[in-house]
């Protein structure tokens, strides 16, 4: 059962998945729409609480890279973790491999959130 929760199927059909499942589904949808994206991992938790392994994405919109966390936005009526900037990642610690100079030069995450125009 745990393996199923880590799949895009679990997120899209069963509406219950781990962060890996939500990220896999979002990754596939973004790529199908022609949007460049990457899954990144690290530690995350509620402000001041214990941290555990977590996955989220970065996506390129309009030439800038932004953070998306479909797991933390799942079931919310408003998107709080959708296309945010590096200055609003909350209590997350990205894994060291995603902090390398090579990675950050190739995928420079915007410091500010994406601005939606109505």
């Amino acid at each position: 059962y745990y393996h199923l929760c880590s799949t895009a199927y679990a997120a899209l059909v069963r509406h219950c998945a781990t962060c890996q499942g939500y990220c896999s589904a979002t990754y596939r949808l973004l790529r199908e729409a022609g949007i460049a994206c990457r899954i990144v991992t690290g530690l995350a938790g509620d402000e001041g609480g214990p941290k555990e392994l977590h996955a989220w994405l970065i996506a390129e919109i309009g030439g800038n890279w932004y953070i998306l966390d479909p797991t933390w936005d799942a079931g919310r009526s408003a998107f709080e973790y959708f296309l945010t900037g590096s200055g609003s990642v909350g209590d997350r610690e990205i894994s060291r491999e995603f902090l390398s100079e090579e990675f950050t030069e190739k995928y420079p995450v915007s410091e500010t959130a994406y601005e939606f125009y109505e």
Side-chain angles (χ1 to χ4, degrees):
Y1 177 74
Y2 180 76
H3 178 70
L4 177 63
C5 291
S6 299
T7 65
Y9 174 85
L12 296 171
V13 177
R14 299 189 66 161
H15 307 285
C16 179
T18 63
C19 57
Q20 182 179 347
Y22 282 113
C23 284
S24 294
T26 305
Y27 178 88
R28 288 174 174 222
L29 292 169
L30 290 172
R31 297 294 296 165
E32 192 64 29
I35 298 172
C37 60
R38 291 289 308 256
I39 295 175
V40 296
T41 59
L43 299 173
D46 293 327
E47 295 285 333
K51 294 182 179 150
E52 54 188 46
L53 293 174
H54 189 55
W56 57 95
L57 298 106
I58 57 173
E60 184 182 27
I61 308 292
N64 295 309
W65 287 86
Y66 298 96
I67 298 168
L68 303 100
D69 192 329
T71 307
W72 284 11
D73 269 340
R76 294 179 184 261
S77 58
F79 298 110
E80 295 180 39
Y81 303 97
F82 185 74
L83 299 180
T84 63
S86 62
S88 58
V89 293
D91 233 13
R92 293 180 207 187
E93 296 174 17
I94 194 164
S95 296
R96 201 174 357 175
E97 67 218 59
F98 302 110
L99 294 174
S100 72
E101 186 175 329
E102 180 182 356
F103 188 88
T104 56
E105 281 182 14
K106 191 169 183 179
Y107 308 103
V109 174
S110 173
E111 291 183 20
T112 58
Y114 180 82
E115 292 191 34
F116 294 90
Y117 298 101
E118 296 179 21

